[in-house]
């Protein structure tokens, strides 16, 4: 009788435990919600964001698409990687990594993440297991900027290293004895074998560098960062597209010989700009990518490179290339909201829908645009007052389909008359089913007490106060009503007990 009474009461009792995104909150942007706005949960040790949405549009939302947000900074006590659902709620959180995006390798999707100590890149599968670790070879330092998986099943890894100047191969001013060189390696994922290597100093001159700073090059510790390769992509015909930030230059490289096919932007630009300079005056850029079989190249234009006058505000560029006539033309530009200037890092992604996502690096902010450049959505991850201060920062922000099947099980907590339940990384949970039992265990006879929609990371369920001496467990259900996993059974305490957390079996 007790269980049936509780079932009737619970069928109408549920509420969301998460703090939802705020909307155009001025106090948030002044720091009233902390300089690192985040939330904790009853049932999990994960950390979730509190977002401030400045502009929203239905065109930004797709239930199967997740926003990938790696973040760290001076105010972020627990740096990590998050997946956020379409409504801005946490879907998965982990520590130990500082960059992330979702890529495909041999037909399977992986979260590609840089380890917190920058010693390797990890390929994390849908069960949230590290399947591969990828490191640089031949004595080069792994660079934190990028690892790209190619269609041929290899990994493209940005590298750097300090080298003594050989004036026979790279002419530098007198007194510059050391430089920080950069390039990339193509690596066999399963074996770690270096298949191809390219270094910038073989293909750029010192005169193409915009500013001899920092470092005078007299010692290894003061070697100037001349090239600063920050993106690499291999196209369908086996050639490479590379971004060199300190040269404000994009270079297209022959995949067999390493020879330069063309350079776009910078002092050695090879293209006639049909847009009066708007297509070639990018400055300190990141994240160059081909589209439409190389006809379009997208670039995140920081508008700010050390040694060059600021040409901001930061913008995304879609450029039309004609490599037969060697012309380039601006197709669309995507101006940062509030004329944000991103002085380092950042990203541009063109989605299958045609929408464009920009992530603004040290500005805790991302935005989504229609293909024609109109702003659709604008989201703050931290207070605008502290943009570009290093308080909260990301490297790139992206959006991608993802299906997560964690090897862990749902977690449950009881606190002050309520049950809290969550499952870190599980993307297919539609409902939570609350069940009661008179024994301590999930496998015994139980009574169904109600279902509660999942909406957010953690769902809160009210339980009557007179449930002394009974046990409860919660099961995760998919859209078809199938059980995906269950929590442990927890005893409902006779008096309030705070933060009793149990993981499932």
């Amino acid at each position: 009788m007790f269980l049936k009474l509780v079932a009737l009461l619970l069928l109408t009792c549920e509420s969301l435990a998460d703090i939802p995104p705020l909307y155009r909150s001025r106090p948030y942007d002044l720091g009233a919600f902390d300089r690192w706005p985040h939330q904790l949960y009853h049932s999990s040790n994960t950390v979730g964001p509190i977002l401030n949405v400045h502009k929203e549009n239905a065109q930004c939302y797709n239930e199967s698409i997740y926003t990938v947000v790696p973040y760290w900074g001076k105010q972020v006590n627990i740096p990590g990687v998050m997946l956020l659902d379409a409504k801005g709620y946490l879907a998965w959180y982990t520590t130990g990594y500082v960059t992330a995006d979702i890529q495909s390798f041999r037909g399977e999707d992986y979260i590609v993440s840089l380890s917190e100590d920058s010693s390797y890149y990890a390929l994390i599968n849908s069960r949230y297991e590290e399947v591969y670790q990828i490191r640089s070879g031949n004595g080069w330092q792994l660079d934190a900027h990028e690892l790209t998986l190619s269609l041929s099943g290899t990994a493209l890894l940005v590298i750097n290293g300090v080298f003594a100047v050989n004036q026979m191969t790279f002419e530098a001013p007198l007194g510059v004895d050391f430089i920080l060189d950069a390039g990339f390696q193509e690596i066999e994922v399963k074996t770690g074998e270096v298949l191809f290597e390219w270094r910038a100093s073989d293909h750029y001159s010192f005169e193409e560098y915009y500013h001899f700073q920092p470092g005078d090059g007299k010692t290894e510790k003061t070697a100037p960062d001349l090239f600063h390769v920050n993106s690499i992509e291999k196209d369908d015909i086996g050639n490479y597209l590379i971004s060199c930030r300190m040269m404000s230059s994009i270079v297209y490289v022959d995949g067999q010989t390493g020879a330069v096919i063309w350079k776009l932007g910078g002092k050695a630009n090879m293209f006639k700009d049909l847009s009066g300079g708007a297509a070639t005056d990018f400055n300190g850029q990141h994240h160059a990518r081909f589209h439409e079989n190389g006809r379009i190249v997208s670039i995140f234009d920081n508008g700010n490179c050390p040694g060059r006058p600021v040409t901001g505000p930061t913008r995304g560029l879609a450029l039309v290339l004609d490599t037969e006539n060697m012309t380039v033309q601006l197709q669309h530009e995507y101006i940062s909201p509030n004329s944000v200037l991103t002085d380092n890092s950042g990203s541009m992604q063109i989605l299958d829908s045609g929408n464009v996502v920009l992530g603004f690096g040290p500005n805790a902010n991302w935005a989504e645009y229609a293909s024609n450049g109109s702003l659709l959505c604008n989201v703050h991850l931290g207070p605008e007052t502290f943009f570009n201060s290093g308080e909260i920062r990301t490297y790139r922000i992206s959006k991608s389909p993802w299906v997560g099947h964690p090897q862990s099980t749902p977690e449950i907590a009881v606190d002050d008359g309520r049950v809290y339940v969550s499952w870190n990384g599980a993307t297919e949970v539609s409902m939570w089913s609350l069940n009661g039992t008179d024994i301590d265990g999930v496998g015994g006879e139980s009574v169904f007490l109600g279902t509660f929609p999942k909406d957010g990371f953690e769902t809160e369920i009210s339980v009557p106060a007179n449930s002394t001496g009974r046990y409860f467990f919660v099961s995760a259900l998919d859209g078809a009503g199938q059980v995906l996993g269950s929590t442990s059974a927890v005893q409902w305490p006779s008096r309030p007990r705070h933060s009793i957390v149990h993981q499932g079996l």
Side-chain angles (χ1 to χ4, degrees), residues 105-106 123 131-138 149 153-155 185-196:
F105 174 67
R106 299 195 182 280
L123 269 59
V131 181
Y132 301 103
Q133 293 184 354
I134 303 173
R135 293 174 167 84
S136 55
N138 298 340
L149 298 171
T154 60
Q185 292 175 339
E186 184 167 7
I187 294 174
E188 170 59 46
V189 171
K190 292 185 177 181
T191 66
E193 179 187 359
V194 177
L195 304 175
F196 187 85

Side-chain angles (χ1 to χ4, degrees), residues 40-238:
L40 306 177
Y41 303 95
H42 295 78
S43 59
S44 174
N45 292 325
T46 57
V47 177
I50 301 174
L51 305 179
N52 191 19
V53 178
H54 277 250
K55 186 177 178 62
E56 59 183 350
N57 187 295
Q59 294 182 52
C60 301
Y61 301 114
N62 183 322
E63 292 296 330
S64 65
I65 301 294
Y66 291 84
T67 304
V68 186
V69 183
Y71 76 142
W72 71 99
K74 291 185 290 187
Q75 290 294 323
V76 180
N77 298 329
I78 312 173
V81 172
M82 302 182 296
L83 297 183
L84 306 182
D85 68 17
K87 296 180 180 180
Y89 292 113
L90 183 69
W92 177 66
Y93 171 81
T94 191
T95 58
Y97 307 98
V98 291
T99 70
D101 64 348
I102 294 174
Q103 301 183 46
S104 180
F105 174 67
R106 299 195 182 280
E108 184 175 350
D109 288 338
Y110 291 87
I111 299 172
V112 179
S113 292
L114 177 68
S115 64
E116 192 171 359
D117 64 0
S118 297
S119 63
Y120 68 93
Y121 275 92
L123 269 59
I124 302 168
N125 66 14
S126 63
R127 296 173 294 280
Y128 302 102
E129 303 164 323
E130 271 195 11
V131 181
Y132 301 103
Q133 293 184 354
I134 303 173
R135 293 174 167 84
S136 55
N138 298 340
W140 285 83
Q141 177 71 35
L142 179 149
D143 189 285
H145 283 97
E146 176 157 77
L147 182 143
T148 307
L149 298 171
S150 73
L151 295 175
S152 57
T154 60
L156 308 172
L157 183 69
V158 177
I159 53 175
N160 65 60
V162 174
F163 294 91
V165 171
N166 182 343
Q167 294 286 356
M168 298 294 293
T169 58
F170 184 79
E171 294 185 18
L174 293 178
V176 178
D177 298 320
F178 297 91
I179 61 169
L180 178 61
D181 207 346
F184 75 91
Q185 292 175 339
E186 184 167 7
I187 294 174
E188 170 59 46
V189 171
K190 292 185 177 181
T191 66
E193 179 187 359
V194 177
L195 304 175
F196 187 85
E197 184 174 290
W198 185 90
R199 62 194 302 165
S201 63
D202 291 337
H203 306 280
Y204 280 89
S205 68
F206 189 90
E207 286 72 23
E208 292 176 69
Y209 181 50
Y210 274 97
H211 189 49
F212 190 33
Q213 195 270 240
D216 56 15
K218 296 184 183 299
T219 67
E220 292 186 30
K221 291 184 178 181
T222 62
D225 182 6
L226 295 185
F227 309 104
H228 203 93
V229 172
N230 58 30
S231 74
I232 168 66
E233 179 184 39
K234 187 176 185 179
D235 66 12
D236 292 343
I237 61 176

Side-chain angles (χ1 to χ4, degrees), residues 210 244-249 264-266 282-285 305 308:
Y210 274 97
C244 289
R245 167 171 163 79
M246 295 304 185
M247 301 289 181
S248 290
S249 173
L264 173 66
F282 48 85
N283 181 353
Q285 79 292 329
C305 183
R308 289 192 66 184

Side-chain angles (χ1 to χ4, degrees), residues 9 16 36 47 127 158 165 206 216 248 256 266 330 361 366 370-371 416 435 476 493:
L9 291 170
L16 187 67
W36 172 35
V47 177
R127 296 173 294 280
V158 177
V165 171
F206 189 90
D216 56 15
S248 290
Q256 297 297 317
L330 177 66
W366 77 86
S371 59
D416 198 20
N435 304 273

